[in-house]
Amino acid sequence: MIVRSFKDIEGTDRHVKAKSGTWESKRIVLAKERVGFSLHETVLYAGTETSMWYANHIEAVLCVEGEAELTNDETGERHTITPGVMYLLDGHERHTLRPKTDFRCVCVFNPPVTGREDHDENGVYPLLTEPEAETGTESGTGAEAA
């Protein structure tokens, strides 16, 4: 069992800030946990624009705070995303997010990210993997409860 809080992640290598300066992400579950997905809390900043294309991943996004306009760059279709609204990029759609306010969301990626990813010039996360685990069990992977 792993128990971990966002507070545990602040200031660690799991707290990733984009080179673009448009978002930051707290990556609470990563590929190294070997559970088949990764889980993140991401904040995209008001007044910014981030174009993305997850050519190597499927992503589900659930808005928990704020408002953003989501554009499917392939069709031009636009959606307003507000708390309680989810979008799923099940077809590797190229898309752009334009937050009207700071936009906080919970994201799930499959395959899981390693935590080292940032968008390249095409908005793509590279497909990074973790080395195969050695045989045996690993203990102490969770943070202690406060």
Side-chain angles (χ1 to χ4, degrees), residues 32-87:
K32 65 180 152 190
E33 274 82 49
R34 302 198 183 280
V35 295
F37 64 91
S38 57
L39 178 67
H40 321 171
E41 177 198 59
T42 300
V43 175
L44 293 100
Y45 306 123
T48 64
E49 181 175 301
T50 304
S51 294
M52 298 165 271
W53 174 37
Y54 295 118
N56 301 308
H57 300 85
I58 300 295
E59 182 191 27
V61 178
L62 175 64
C63 175
V64 294
E65 185 179 331
E67 181 179 340
E69 178 186 82
L70 170 69
T71 302
N72 180 331
D73 294 336
E74 297 170 11
T75 67
E77 188 176 12
R78 294 177 183 216
H79 304 274
T80 299
I81 310 297
T82 56
V85 176
M86 183 276 314
Y87 63 91

Side-chain angles (χ1 to χ4, degrees), residues 90-106:
D90 59 338
H92 304 282
E93 295 87 355
R94 293 176 189 257
H95 60 288
T96 301
L97 205 60
R98 295 176 187 87
K100 298 177 189 284
T101 63
D102 282 355
F103 181 80
R104 188 166 59 94
C105 53
V106 175

